Amino acid sequence: MLITLPFLNRAIAEYLSRDLTYQLSADDVYLTVGCSQAIEIILSVLARPGADILLPKPGYPFYDGRAAFSHLQVRHYGLLSDQSWEIDLESVEALADENTVAIVIISPGDPCGNVFTYQHLKKVAETAKKLGILVIADEVYHRIVFGSDPFVPMGEFGSIAPVVTLGSISKTWIVPGWRIGWIVTNDPSGILEKSGVLESLESYLNICPDPATFIQANLNLSLLEDISDDMDFCFKLAKEESVIVLLGCVVGMKNWIRITFAIEPASLEEGLNRMKAFYHRHSRRQ
């Protein structure tokens, strides 16, 4: 298993806390290989014989596939097209039973593009509390919002019902190849810990691969002798080793670089070896 870098958990916690009225901690954040693995892990953790989960219709079909693979029964609740695709909470209550473990909500919505309001999300949390289930909030599009409704994180209502938030950097920052996602627990009351869900989540993560550490960190220029910034790094790398990577300033992330994996393994290995040689050539003398 690869090792995660603690500062990234802290950075994600601080970033997501900007939209909350309380502060998340690094311990609330669990790194995943993109949001797809986050979905896989949380559904696997909740799976047990006879359990069912509530999914939106229309919705993201990956949830249906992963639920079936984990032997979770699926029950689809409706979205109201004439009410800005809000959740039909009456159908949610009608579908749920003693075997229901969670409801998945997606906001901003996929595929409808809707953004749930503060008032509606509070009603979702109250419904979840009434049913005794947790809310899985898929917020992978949380910074891609158009129109008059501002994005409100479901985690704001974690004190009403436990919320597990899923997300990644791929959509907002246009870096799908980095494969960095997260599972965040919004649970001030500690219900997930008391119920054993948190322990199961941590146990499952212990046998899963983590995001590769070299894509969890930015350029540490203090270790390089004659590199001023990401542009200087990329220019000299291309000139000296004929290796081209995307400089972070192009996408608003100064002193980061992006490496594509969409090439043959032999070429990727050759490129990384050349980058290693470049690094040693420019490393600061100790």
Side-chain angles (χ1 to χ4, degrees):
M1 182 177 67
L2 299 175
I3 300 174
T4 60
L5 305 180
F7 76 82
L8 182 55
N9 296 63
R10 291 195 298 272
I12 292 172
E14 292 172 4
Y15 173 72
L16 295 179
S17 294
R18 296 176 185 177
D19 295 320
L20 297 168
T21 55
Y22 63 94
Q23 185 71 34
L24 294 167
S25 73
D27 293 336
D28 298 319
V29 179
Y30 303 89
L31 297 182
T32 61
V33 184
C35 194
S36 293
Q37 191 196 40
I39 295 171
E40 171 190 338
I41 289 172
I42 192 61
L43 295 190
S44 298
V45 165
L46 295 175
R48 57 176 173 76
D52 63 75
I53 190 168
L54 305 180
L55 301 180
K57 185 178 183 179
Y60 182 43
F62 186 71
Y63 280 96
D64 294 81
R66 286 306 317 181
F69 188 82
S70 299
H71 303 291
L72 266 174
Q73 296 182 32
V74 171
R75 298 182 178 182
H76 291 105
Y77 64 84
L79 299 178
L80 303 172
S81 60
D82 59 345
Q83 297 180 36
S84 300
W85 299 101
E86 288 189 344
I87 296 171
D88 184 350
L89 295 176
E90 290 185 2
S91 73
V92 167
E93 292 196 38
L95 288 170
D97 60 18
E98 67 276 5
N99 293 316
T100 305
V101 292
I103 178 174
V104 172
I105 70 166
I106 306 175
S107 181
D110 180 6
C112 300
N114 54 299
V115 181
F116 293 139
T117 63
Y118 181 99
Q119 294 77 12
H120 187 62
L121 290 174
K122 185 178 180 181
K123 291 179 181 178
V124 172
E126 291 168 346
T127 301
K129 179 180 180 180
K130 179 180 179 180
L131 298 173
I133 61 177
L134 65 89
V135 180
I136 299 172
D138 186 326
E139 297 177 353
V140 73
Y141 293 101
H142 73 293
R143 289 298 180 196
I144 306 178
V145 177
F146 304 95
S148 58
D149 290 334
F151 168 73
V152 178
M154 187 67 209
E156 183 65 20
F157 308 99
S159 59
I160 299 176
V163 176
V164 174
T165 301
L166 312 183
S168 79
I169 67 172
S170 63
K171 303 297 189 298
T172 300
W173 288 278
I174 320 174
V175 284
W178 283 17
R179 306 305 301 149
I180 295 180
W182 54 77
I183 297 173
V184 174
T185 54
N186 306 95
D187 184 30
S189 302
I191 295 174
L192 296 177
E193 181 177 9
K194 296 172 186 175
S195 63
V197 171
L198 202 58
E199 182 181 1
S200 297
L201 174 61
E202 293 172 350
S203 297
Y204 198 94
L205 283 162
N206 281 334
I207 61 172
C208 288
D210 296 319
T213 52
F214 80 92
I215 60 173
Q216 294 182 42
N218 50 340
L219 290 175
N220 189 344
L221 298 179
S222 67
L223 300 178
L224 300 174
E225 192 169 50
D226 55 353
I227 303 294
S228 60
D229 55 21
D230 56 331
M231 183 174 290
D232 192 28
F233 179 94
C234 293
F235 178 79
K236 289 178 178 176
L237 178 64
K239 183 178 181 180
E240 297 175 22
E241 296 290 347
S242 298
V243 173
I244 298 175
V245 296
L246 179 67
L247 52 158
C249 64
V250 171
V251 292
M253 295 289 288
K254 185 175 176 59
N255 291 339
W256 287 67
I257 60 173
R258 180 185 178 188
I259 301 171
T260 179
F261 299 95
I263 56 177
E264 295 180 354
S267 298
L268 178 61
E269 183 177 2
E270 173 69 17
L272 292 175
N273 285 334
R274 292 188 185 190
M275 288 183 68
K276 184 177 181 179
F278 175 83
Y279 169 80
H280 286 301
R281 188 182 312 122
H282 292 274
S283 62
R284 188 176 297 277
R285 304 300 191 270
Q286 300 297 326

